[in-house]
């Protein structure tokens, strides 16, 4: 199951993404925020999804803020999270195939809905290629271990 969250700036795009997931029969849990009126802090939502994925309660995550930058920085602070901010489908595919990204970050003020939904589809349909990429991805864990 996917975990999905946004701040107020990402709320409208998050609703479009959830509608799209519904149409495709892909299950998700919406961890907030629940409207675009109340200003909230994007680190809280990056952390929520990051922890859900790191704790394996959810397989993957999608996070959305205005640029996708702040919420992805927050998610990446959670050990085990590999959040990738993607602005095109090539980045989406490569973030899965090479980086084994477990969280997709989108910027609602940067890309349109159509592109965002294509990015979501590409990201969900791509898989990690392993092999030489695994050696590199394993180094993320080594870096994290240096700061325990
Ligand atoms: C909110 O105004 C905005 O700062 C936030 O959505 C995001 O773009 C931060 O990186």
């Amino acid at each position: 199951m996917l975990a999905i969250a946004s701040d107020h700036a990402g709320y409208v795009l998050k609703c479009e993404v959830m509608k799209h997931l519904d149409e495709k029969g892909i299950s998700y849990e919406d961890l907030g925020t629940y409207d675009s009126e109340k200003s909230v802090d994007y680190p809280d939502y990056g952390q929520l999804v990051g922890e859900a994925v790191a704790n394996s309660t959810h397989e993957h995550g999608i996070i959305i803020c205005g640029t996708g930058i702040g919420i992805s920085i927050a998610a990446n602070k959670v050990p085990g999270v590999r959040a990738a901010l993607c602005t095109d489908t090539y980045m989406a595919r490569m973030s899965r195939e090479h980086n084994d990204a477990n969280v997709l970050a989108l910027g609602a003020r940067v890309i349109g809905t159509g592109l965002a939904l294509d990015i979501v589809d590409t990201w969900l349909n791509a898989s990690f290629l392993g092999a030489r990429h695994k050696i590199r991805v394993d180094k993320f864990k080594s870096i994290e271990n240096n700061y325990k």
Side-chain angles (χ1 to χ4, degrees):
M1 162 138 33
L2 275 167
I4 187 165
S6 72
D7 72 353
H8 54 287
Y11 174 76
V12 171
L13 179 58
K14 184 184 69 170
C15 292
E16 293 291 342
V17 170
M18 292 190 299
K19 195 171 105 195
H20 185 70
L21 295 173
D22 287 338
E23 284 164 7
K24 299 211 161 237
I26 296 169
S27 57
Y28 59 84
E29 185 179 2
D30 179 9
L31 302 181
T33 189
Y34 301 112
D35 67 72
S36 58
E37 303 306 315
K38 184 170 170 283
S39 187
V40 294
D41 299 332
Y42 55 81
D44 299 338
Y45 296 90
Q47 182 180 5
L48 272 178
V49 169
E51 287 178 352
V53 172
N55 298 337
S56 300
T57 57
H58 296 73
E59 191 186 359
H60 291 123
I62 298 178
I63 49 178
I64 309 172
C65 69
T67 59
I69 295 171
I71 203 163
S72 60
I73 291 173
N76 277 318
K77 297 292 181 195
V78 180
V81 170
R82 295 177 298 279
L85 171 56
C86 299
T87 56
D88 61 43
T89 54
Y90 179 76
M91 293 173 79
R93 183 167 61 83
M94 295 304 281
S95 77
R96 295 285 299 125
E97 290 186 353
H98 285 201
N99 313 120
D100 198 17
N102 48 16
V103 175
L104 169 65
L106 298 170
R109 294 174 176 164
V110 179
I111 57 171
T113 303
L115 177 55
L117 300 183
D118 276 358
I119 288 172
V120 167
D121 287 345
T122 302
W123 195 81
L124 291 175
N125 288 328
S127 310
F128 185 45
L129 294 178
R132 70 181 189 280
H133 305 296
K134 182 174 184 329
I135 295 164
R136 295 162 184 164
V137 168
D138 284 346
K139 291 196 174 188
F140 294 146
K141 186 52 73 187
S142 307
I143 294 169
E144 286 173 357
N145 289 340
N146 285 338
Y147 296 91
K148 269 186 174 169

